Amino acid sequence: MKIVVTVKLVPDTNAEKRIDPGTKRLVRVPNETVLNPFDEYAIEAALQVRDARADGSTVTVVAMTPESGKEIVRKALAMGADDAVMLCDEAFAGSDVWGTAIALAAAIKKNGFDLVIAGSQSTDAGTGALPGALAEYLGVPGLTYLRKLAVEGTTIRGERETDTGFQTVRVEAPCLVSVTKSINEPRYPSLKGIMGAKKKTIAQWSASDLALSVGSGGAKTELTAQASPPVRGKGKLVEAADAVAGAQAIIDFLKEKKLL
Amino acid sequence: MQHAIAFVEQKNGTARRVAFEAVHAAKLVAEQLGGEVHAVVFGSGAAAVAELVKAHPATKIHVLDDAACNGFLIDPIVDVVAGLAKELGGAIVVAGNTMIGRDVASRVAARLDAGINADVVAFEVANGTVACVSPKLGGLTITTCAFKNADFGVALIRPNVFAAKTDAAGNGEIVALAAPTRAYAMTIEADVDEAAAELGVEEASVVVSGGRGLGGPEAFTTILKDLADSLGGAVGASRAAVDAGWISHGHQVGQTGKTVSPQLYIAAGISGAIQHKVGMRTSAVIVAINKDGNVPIAEFADLMVVGDAFAIVPELTRGVHAAKG
Ligand SMILES: Cc1cc2nc3c(=O)[nH]c(=O)nc-3n(C[C@H](O)[C@H](O)[C@H](O)COP(=O)(O)OP(=O)(O)OC[C@H]3O[C@@H](n4cnc5c(N)ncnc54)[C@H](O)[C@@H]3O)c2cc1C
Ligand SMILES: Nc1ncnc2c1ncn2[C@@H]1O[C@H](COP(=O)(O)O)[C@@H](O)[C@H]1O
């Protein structure tokens, strides 16, 4: 089975983020960039499916990212993925969900796939909309928000989180699934994994390799304005003498704000 | 783009609160485009929900109340919504930013080759072009993104932002949709509601969250829940509480959980780490209860009460009941 994991590179939330006022794009300083935390769960899920099958199944990581993301993509290889494809092209810069989904779909089709595993959301400007759009462009069913995944032959079974509980869902490969952080505990790359990753292939494909023209010119949405939200300052601090006084301070405050 | 389609999310005859907000948001846009509002209600129980939609401003309410479609997840809904958009020739599709809403909207967008804007809190319409205002990066910046000269666009609205007051003015015409005839690949084998009819944190106008300071699962189903109930709100949690297994992930607020912006957010025993903050900092009013006055949340809470949550929370619930009479 050919398993493909889509991974996004995102700014480390512990690092300060900045928007470039000229290009209006998020500034990504290389060493402040990490694998989208959700995608580590996706990689782990893929490795577990591959290893359980032990039939020569492979895991390929696909990321649309500038070339500077190479060392971070290598982390996915160090975890155990077999190879990686990076979609690097100035033409991809500024892609919206539409542009990203089209480019990823083209790359995944070129690579070949039976099962695509995505994270369910990304922690930067992500919308959680990519997996659905990608499934549509791949022309396969999309099973989202899985907290359990089992593959038997070509049958994919999953337990899907819902807003009120869960569903057990079944589908035949080829298909796309997205996973939540309840699905597993991602492994840390072992020393052997890190050494081995240096020898693994990271292919770089451009828009012309995929016969595509997407990116800022081809995006379906256009950033027209950007504003900073009002700064949230320090509010009132009350040292409660006892529980009644503490509760009363809150009641008074809620009344003042017309919330009670 | 001339008309607006609102996806009215419902399950077994109970509509999501954001479903009606979507109809109003659709109306806001359609009005300025000079078009119509089409609501789509799907699945068993849809007919009952459609009656409720009549009290909201939809021109037409498209209904498919068919249990046969329940077992296929979103695929038949996508066919119906995208099909309607194509029939109308040009439309913005509006859905709530919920799990189902995102799934439906993202596939519909791709099917229509349309752009998608998520977490929308306002629309701006000028010269027939629709732009969406959304907070990004956990509220770090607020962006306005326009759909570029397109026939179609898809917007996922943030719950709790667009008012959904009922008015008799709507009285939309109910139109029966034909059931899709094609076979669908995804099959739901079991659908389990663990928390029936519970209000999700994303939609609640009051969220009462607990963190590691609450020491165990009990507080989440007792003192925290009582306070949330007294205020008509929902219970949320920090990741520390979720990771400890005290409450399910669906309640988690933050970077790897849900983004909320209620009228009131109460954080009890939560330190206010950046990853928690990005999920709740756009709340209108933030109140924190913490033993320690020097935690990060003190820097951005509107009111910080230093004290023991176990003692203050039940007292506060009593006070709320007293104030409400
Ligand atoms: C990639 C990544 C993603 C993350 N995503 C999220 C996310 O989505 N959501 C999230 O919340 N966190 C997230 N985190 C974790 C985050 O960094 C913090 O660790 C977490 O928010 C801490 O939870 P807490 O405030 O409940 O616990 P703590 O930081 O331990 O705070 C507990 C607080 O309770 C107070 N306290 C103790 N006893 C009492 C009492 N009796 N009464 C009142 N107060 C008391 C203490 O003073 C303390 O301030 C993420 C971290 C990473 C690295
Ligand atoms: N640029 C990208 N390259 C590869 N995968 C991506 C990219 N953007 C999003 N994804 C995938 O889509 C998922 C959801 O991201 P998003 O829709 O951006 O919140 C991520 O967890 C990734 O698996």
Side-chain angles (χ1 to χ4, degrees):
Chain A
M1 175 170 266
K2 268 187 134 158
I3 308 166
V4 172
V5 184
T6 53
V7 306
K8 186 177 187 180
L9 273 50
V10 297
D12 186 349
T13 36
N14 290 310
E16 214 31 62
K17 276 170 288 197
R18 197 166 66 77
I19 306 285
D20 184 313
T23 63
K24 292 182 184 155
R25 284 186 200 145
L26 189 61
V27 176
R28 291 164 207 259
V29 181
N31 62 4
E32 287 178 343
T33 304
V34 294
L35 280 180
N36 172 30
F38 279 87
D39 298 344
E40 296 191 15
Y41 299 92
I43 296 166
E44 179 64 37
L47 298 177
Q48 287 184 12
V49 171
R50 178 195 68 187
D51 296 345
R53 292 174 77 84
D55 61 353
S57 293
T58 53
V59 175
T60 301
V61 166
V62 178
M64 187 166 120
T65 166
E67 236 179 298
S68 58
K70 198 163 183 172
E71 287 321 304
I72 296 147
V73 169
R74 209 179 289 283
K75 186 187 167 194
L77 297 179
M79 284 175 74
D82 297 285
D83 57 1
V85 175
M86 282 170 64
L87 307 187
C88 317
D89 197 319
E90 194 37 47
F92 293 140
S95 293
D96 58 2
V97 174
W98 174 80
T100 308
I102 288 203
L104 288 174
I108 292 168
K109 281 184 187 161
K110 181 176 156 102
N111 180 77
F113 73 101
D114 298 295
L115 173 62
V116 177
I117 309 185
S120 49
Q121 70 189 72
S122 61
T123 55
D124 65 346
T127 55
L130 199 279
L134 179 56
E136 181 70 24
Y137 284 122
L138 289 170
V140 298
L143 261 184
T144 49
Y145 305 108
L146 295 193
R147 65 179 190 192
K148 277 187 193 157
L149 169 68
V151 184
E152 273 168 47
T154 55
T155 306
I156 320 281
R157 270 205 170 72
E159 203 169 280
R160 179 177 186 278
E161 285 182 15
T162 64
D163 281 316
T164 48
F166 67 92
Q167 296 168 327
T168 25
V169 201
R170 174 174 49 83
V171 76
E172 288 295 310
C175 76
L176 174 145
V177 304
S178 79
V179 300
T180 72
K181 73 184 192 68
S182 317
I183 196 164
N184 55 40
E185 205 44 70
R187 67 192 70 183
Y188 287 103
S190 64
L191 191 59
K192 193 166 153 252
I194 294 168
M195 298 311 289
K198 294 187 175 146
K199 291 187 225 85
K200 291 178 180 169
T201 316
I202 302 181
Q204 289 191 11
W205 293 348
S206 65
S208 63
D209 290 327
L210 300 173
L212 281 178
S213 62
V214 289
S216 298
K220 295 282 183 179
T221 52
E222 180 180 27
L223 188 60
T224 52
Q226 182 141 22
S228 294
V231 185
R232 210 174 186 122
K234 205 178 164 106
K236 216 176 354 181
L237 187 129
V238 174
E239 300 268 0
D242 57 33
V244 176
Q248 194 57 49
I250 299 174
I251 298 280
D252 293 344
F253 186 73
L254 297 185
K255 284 184 176 160
E256 180 193 320
K257 295 282 175 191
K258 305 213 168 11
L259 289 164
L260 257 187
Chain B
M1 207 179 287
Q2 191 192 356
H3 305 291
I5 299 174
F7 170 55
V8 177
E9 185 183 342
Q10 70 92 26
K11 191 172 178 183
N12 298 328
T14 306
R16 300 287 298 249
R17 189 191 283 195
V18 70
F20 299 117
E21 297 169 5
V23 178
H24 286 262
K27 164 79 176 173
L28 282 176
V29 183
E31 210 164 44
Q32 295 179 70
L33 293 172
E36 299 169 344
V37 177
H38 293 258
V40 178
V41 202
F42 202 90
S44 42
V49 171
E51 289 302 318
L52 301 177
V53 177
K54 279 188 173 169
H56 298 276
T59 321
K60 281 190 179 156
I61 308 166
H62 303 261
V63 187
L64 182 59
D65 191 336
D66 189 344
C69 294
N70 292 351
F72 302 117
L73 216 55
I74 59 155
D75 292 349
I77 315 180
V78 172
D79 284 352
V80 163
V81 174
L84 177 62
K86 283 183 184 157
E87 214 178 286
L88 293 172
I92 177 166
V93 176
V94 182
N97 199 359
T98 63
M99 293 169 108
I100 291 287
R102 271 192 298 279
D103 274 6
V104 170
S106 57
R107 275 201 98 112
V108 166
R111 179 99 33 109
L112 297 170
D113 251 331
I116 183 162
N117 279 314
D119 220 16
V120 175
V121 296
F123 291 96
E124 286 171 6
V125 183
N127 309 321
T129 298
V130 179
C132 300
V133 181
S134 321
K136 289 272 165 68
L137 304 171
L140 180 80
T141 175
I142 296 171
T143 61
T144 307
C145 284
F147 295 110
K148 284 204 282 194
N149 50 32
D151 288 335
F152 301 107
V154 176
L156 282 162
I157 59 165
R158 177 178 279 203
N160 239 325
V161 173
F162 294 92
K165 288 193 202 72
T166 53
D167 64 62
N171 203 19
E173 178 196 344
I174 295 200
V175 188
L177 283 165
T181 48
R182 74 178 177 105
Y184 293 101
M186 280 190 287
T187 315
I188 299 179
E189 295 181 326
D191 193 349
V192 181
D193 280 334
E194 291 168 320
E198 205 179 1
L199 188 62
V201 283
E202 286 170 303
E203 284 165 292
S205 46
V206 176
V207 176
V208 180
S209 287
R212 201 193 318 263
L214 295 182
E218 298 77 23
F220 290 87
T221 52
T222 55
I223 56 170
L224 228 46
K225 173 138 199 338
D226 292 344
L227 178 57
D229 287 348
S230 76
L231 291 162
V235 174
S238 73
R239 176 164 176 176
V242 171
D243 284 354
W246 300 344
I247 186 165
S248 66
H249 180 230
H251 295 265
Q252 184 181 317
V253 172
Q255 186 195 301
T256 46
K258 296 193 163 129
T259 302
V260 304
S261 43
Q263 290 304 309
L264 171 63
Y265 189 88
I266 300 181
I270 293 179
S271 62
I274 179 73
Q275 296 91 354
H276 189 77
K277 182 181 176 185
V278 297
M280 44 67 84
R281 73 164 138 203
T282 53
S283 305
V285 173
I286 298 173
V287 173
I289 305 170
N290 200 299
K291 271 206 310 213
D292 182 351
N294 289 316
V295 287
I297 202 164
E299 299 303 316
F300 60 94
D302 300 293
L303 175 67
M304 168 83 187
V305 176
V306 183
D308 180 10
F310 288 99
I312 294 175
V313 170
E315 221 25 82
L316 179 54
T317 307
R318 266 191 284 281
V320 171
H321 283 303
K324 288 191 166 175

